[in-house]
Amino acid sequence: PIEKENYALDRKNNEEPVLVSGKDEDSLLALAFKLEETPFGQLTYMRIYQGMLKKGNQIVNVNDGKKIKLSRIVRLHSDDMEEISEAGAGEVVAIFGVDCRSMDTFSDGGMNIAMSSMFVPEPVMSLSVKPAETKMQNSFAKALTKFTKEDPTLRVNIDDETKETILSGMGELHLEVYIERMKREYACEVVSGKPNVSYKETINQRVDFNWLHKKQTGGSGQYAKVMGFIEPLPELEQAELGQPNEFINECTGTNIPPEYYTSCEKGTNDAFNVGSLVGSDVEGVRVVLKDGASHAVDSSDLAFRLCMASAIRDAMKKASPTVLEPVMNVEVEAPAEFQGGILAGLNRRMGVIQSNEMNEDGSGIRALVDVPLANMFGYSTELRSSTQGKGEFTMEYLKHTPVPRNVQDELMKKYKLEKEEAAKGSK
């Protein structure tokens, strides 16, 4: 373990990197990197970076503070398990009876440092799922809980409007695998909806806002006024900040009382959660709050939150907004004789060819192409049929880029119809 320098993050000191010693005699530091369901319960694979794991000792999950007693430690050789009493730095072992998530860090309780977990990209595709029969609901819930624990790239949430369970992941195949696993491992038949691509929204120019929120009812009303501007936030600055948007408060004086600053920021986040074009998340926007006004009686947290959300949504409509779609880096390998058909098929799917190389003996090709995810549905079937089953492809998320104008208009029209139908359904 000491041949390569490994760093952990000090959670007490703003996640400053700390060099891991890799010595057995130091405090324990281990990372749970894989979970597996077995007939004996959850099996957790751990890599020990420093210290010792000993049977009967107590370890602490740094992420949630839970204490766990080590009852059984095993070393794996293929499908054979060898029970051991201790393991030192640099070893990979498996432990039974540990309730944790993938990429959780464990210590002996003496430190509050965590191993930097792997980069987990945002999901790019989602679909609605539900059990085929009501009696399968328990198995369905159990399966989703287990899968999200073992795979950080799989997300589950409930749609606020439709109350459907939405499964989000890294692509069509990724979600298909988990639906198949539910059927095979939990005997739970699943009905899935049409896959939806995770679009985002952004703006292209600076716009000032000056918004007054005023509402008078029988008792005390609502009053808030905010002034400032929104502008595009470049990708480089997003990476430096570690977040897709930025809120800056440049207010001076007490026109907006300081206790309402957090409400303004919450209102900004509300506007970012539902964009004005297609209701998607907003990214690449900097909001600067310059000034405002309040009322001694009618101003409140809610008034400023609603005012700020309305101001940002209105300003974004005027700031040349754009819908962004996920673009995937697709790698295709197939025999050379099918080259023309493969490239023509990717061109039809609006792919941009980055490279197209022959292998050393000239019998096969390897093409790297950037293709919008929305155009990749059903590609596995097309590739199999056009290459007599000899072609294969992999794809990974690359970035979000602006959609063509005609596609944006179609998405906006579809979103408007969905909102109208939802409004009719709620009446």
Side-chain angles (χ1 to χ4, degrees):
I2 56 172
E3 290 175 4
K4 180 181 183 297
E5 289 186 347
N6 289 298
Y7 290 89
L9 302 176
D10 188 346
R11 298 175 65 164
K12 289 180 184 172
N13 190 19
N14 200 25
E15 297 201 342
E16 279 292 313
V18 178
L19 183 65
V20 177
S21 71
K23 295 176 182 174
D24 288 350
E25 58 268 24
D26 286 336
S27 297
L28 173 71
L29 200 61
L31 182 72
F33 64 89
K34 181 177 178 350
L35 310 179
E36 186 181 322
E37 197 66 42
T38 71
F40 311 105
Q42 182 174 298
L43 185 63
T44 305
Y45 291 81
M46 272 192 203
R47 158 74 146 90
I48 306 164
Y49 284 87
Q50 71 176 39
M52 297 278 287
L53 270 180
K54 294 184 181 178
K55 190 174 177 179
N57 280 11
Q58 193 167 262
I59 59 173
V60 178
N61 187 333
V62 174
N63 295 55
D64 60 17
K66 281 184 184 173
K67 294 179 180 176
I68 298 149
K69 190 172 182 181
L70 295 174
S71 57
R72 194 177 171 201
I73 307 172
V74 295
R75 186 180 285 125
L76 294 165
H77 300 278
S78 182
D79 57 350
D80 294 329
M81 288 186 189
E82 177 196 341
E83 200 150 333
I84 56 174
S85 57
E86 64 178 38
E91 292 191 60
V92 173
V93 295
I95 297 167
F96 282 101
V98 175
D99 184 23
C100 70
R101 288 179 169 272
S102 183
M103 306 313 288
D104 276 358
T105 302
F106 290 85
S107 75
D108 51 14
M111 302 178 294
N112 189 19
I113 64 174
M115 298 305 298
S116 52
S117 67
M118 64 180 182
F119 168 70
V120 180
E122 286 296 309
V124 293
M125 187 178 286
S126 57
L127 50 81
S128 61
V129 288
K130 65 177 180 181
E133 297 177 32
T134 314
K135 65 182 180 184
M136 296 175 178
Q137 191 69 45
N138 284 346
S139 302
F140 178 71
K142 203 182 290 181
L144 290 181
T145 304
K146 165 73 175 55
F147 295 156
T148 49
K149 267 188 181 181
E150 71 179 40
D151 184 354
T153 62
L154 187 74
R155 313 279 174 88
V156 176
N157 65 293
I158 306 295
D159 189 295
D160 292 334
E161 291 179 1
T162 61
K163 305 301 178 193
E164 289 178 317
T165 302
I166 307 295
L167 197 62
S168 306
M170 301 312 299
E172 196 174 9
L173 182 62
H174 186 208
L175 298 176
E176 279 176 11
V177 165
Y178 281 107
I179 288 170
E180 183 59 32
R181 280 187 64 187
M182 278 189 223
K183 186 177 171 182
R184 196 175 62 245
E185 295 174 25
Y186 291 87
C188 178
E189 290 279 355
V190 173
V191 178
S192 59
K194 188 184 172 189
N196 287 318
V197 172
S198 297
Y199 293 100
K200 295 193 178 198
E201 298 180 28
T202 191
I203 59 170
N204 294 298
Q205 64 186 56
R206 174 181 158 147
V207 168
D208 293 329
F209 61 83
N210 183 343
W211 191 268
L212 174 66
H213 175 75
K214 194 173 180 182
K215 192 175 180 183
Q216 196 61 49
T217 53
S220 60
Q222 292 179 9
Y223 183 94
K225 186 177 183 181
V226 291
M227 290 182 273
F229 64 87
I230 63 170
E231 63 181 4
L233 182 65
E235 282 184 26
L236 198 62
E237 290 184 44
Q238 290 179 46
E240 286 172 8
L241 287 166
Q243 58 190 45
N245 301 298
E246 185 180 17
F247 174 80
I248 298 174
N249 179 11
E250 291 186 357
C251 290
T252 53
T254 56
N255 285 347
I256 298 179
E259 62 264 29
Y260 296 138
Y261 291 160
T262 53
S263 302
C264 291
E265 188 169 357
K266 284 176 184 173
T268 302
N269 292 332
D270 290 344
F272 288 158
N273 289 337
V274 183
S276 56
L277 295 178
V278 295
S280 299
D281 290 348
V282 176
E283 68 170 31
V285 179
R286 179 187 285 119
V287 175
V288 180
L289 180 63
K290 305 283 282 184
D291 201 0
S294 63
H295 187 278
V297 177
D298 291 347
S299 287
S300 63
D301 285 325
L302 179 64
F304 272 97
R305 186 169 180 170
L306 293 172
C307 181
M308 197 72 191
S310 301
I312 302 303
R313 287 189 183 116
D314 182 68
M316 279 174 55
K317 289 176 185 173
K318 302 169 186 172
S320 183
T322 309
V323 176
L324 305 175
E325 66 178 344
V327 172
M328 310 301 281
N329 182 241
V330 180
E331 183 179 326
V332 184
E333 291 185 359
E337 65 203 80
F338 303 112
Q339 180 178 6
I342 289 169
L343 297 180
L346 290 167
N347 277 327
R348 280 197 305 274
R349 293 174 183 267
M350 306 297 287
V352 178
I353 297 167
Q354 302 298 331
S355 70
N356 178 29
E357 302 165 353
M358 284 276 186
N359 58 13
E360 289 177 4
D361 61 2
S363 63
I365 60 150
R366 179 173 168 270
L368 290 175
V369 189
D370 297 343
V371 190
L373 178 63
N375 300 340
M376 284 301 291
F377 293 136
Y379 183 64
S380 54
T381 309
E382 181 189 310
L383 183 65
R384 277 197 300 270
S385 60
S386 65
T387 61
Q388 299 169 11
K390 297 173 186 173
E392 56 184 41
F393 80 101
T394 59
M395 68 177 183
E396 62 179 27
Y397 170 70
L398 181 66
K399 60 183 177 180
H400 272 74
T401 60
V403 300
R405 188 71 203 182
N406 63 319
V407 176
Q408 181 166 313
D409 290 341
E410 283 173 23
L411 290 169
M412 288 170 66
K413 192 175 176 183
K414 183 183 170 189
Y415 176 63
K416 189 179 176 184
L417 285 171
E418 284 173 358
K419 274 184 77 175
E420 286 172 0
E421 283 174 15
K424 283 177 190 173
S426 62
K427 283 179 184 177

